[in-house]
Amino acid sequence: MMIRYQADADLNQAIVTGVLRREPTIDFQTAFAAGLEGVKDPEVLAMAAQQQRILVSHDRRTMPLEFAQFMTGNQSSGVIIVSRKLPIEVAIEELLLIWAASSAAEWINRIAKLPL
């Protein structure tokens, strides 16, 4: 199964736009399209898991803990935390590489930080 991404509400939209410009066939849902503005982390994680999407977020402060708590009774499609210090171009390249070189099954119940 191909990787599908879900942008968290805090993710820089330029990353989503850049990924889709480079590879229009990637399924990368914006936070706006998913209605995530103001939604709490546990609900965001549940929505992404239900839709089998890897959540892409800048939230390295609370998301890892929320992910760990979510995992106690649920399965996740994965979470990728993108450092705000990472140049947008590098974040785009790494997300494209993950999409091209791995499968969705490899990300189940996994959390990773970019840069890898």
Side-chain angles (χ1 to χ4, degrees), residues 2 21 27 35-36 49 68 81 85:
M2 291 297 293
R21 276 196 187 133
D27 186 345
L36 296 183
I81 307 291
K85 296 177 183 175

Side-chain angles (χ1 to χ4, degrees), residues 17-98:
T17 302
V19 167
L20 292 172
R21 276 196 187 133
R22 292 277 310 280
E23 186 53 67
T25 62
I26 291 179
D27 186 345
F28 201 151
Q29 184 168 252
T30 65
F32 179 78
L36 296 183
E37 192 64 42
V39 177
K40 302 285 184 201
D41 289 348
E43 295 171 58
V44 172
L45 287 162
M47 291 170 66
Q50 186 214 18
Q51 295 178 16
Q52 298 179 322
R53 294 179 180 276
I54 297 172
L55 182 64
V56 184
S57 177
H58 282 305
D59 184 4
R60 67 182 195 166
R61 188 177 57 83
T62 62
M63 189 58 74
L65 178 61
E66 294 290 351
F67 176 77
Q69 291 174 347
F70 179 79
M71 292 304 302
T72 59
N74 302 286
Q75 181 169 308
S76 169
S77 297
V79 174
I80 297 173
I81 307 291
V82 180
S83 170
R84 289 187 187 275
K85 296 177 183 175
L86 190 67
I88 290 172
E89 301 80 27
V90 175
I92 291 167
E93 286 298 322
E94 294 215 7
L95 289 169
L96 287 167
L97 179 62
I98 289 167

Side-chain angles (χ1 to χ4, degrees), residues 6-11 13 16 29-37:
Q6 173 61 61
D8 198 0
D10 71 346
L11 187 69
Q13 182 62 37
V16 178
Q29 184 168 252
T30 65
F32 179 78
L36 296 183
E37 192 64 42

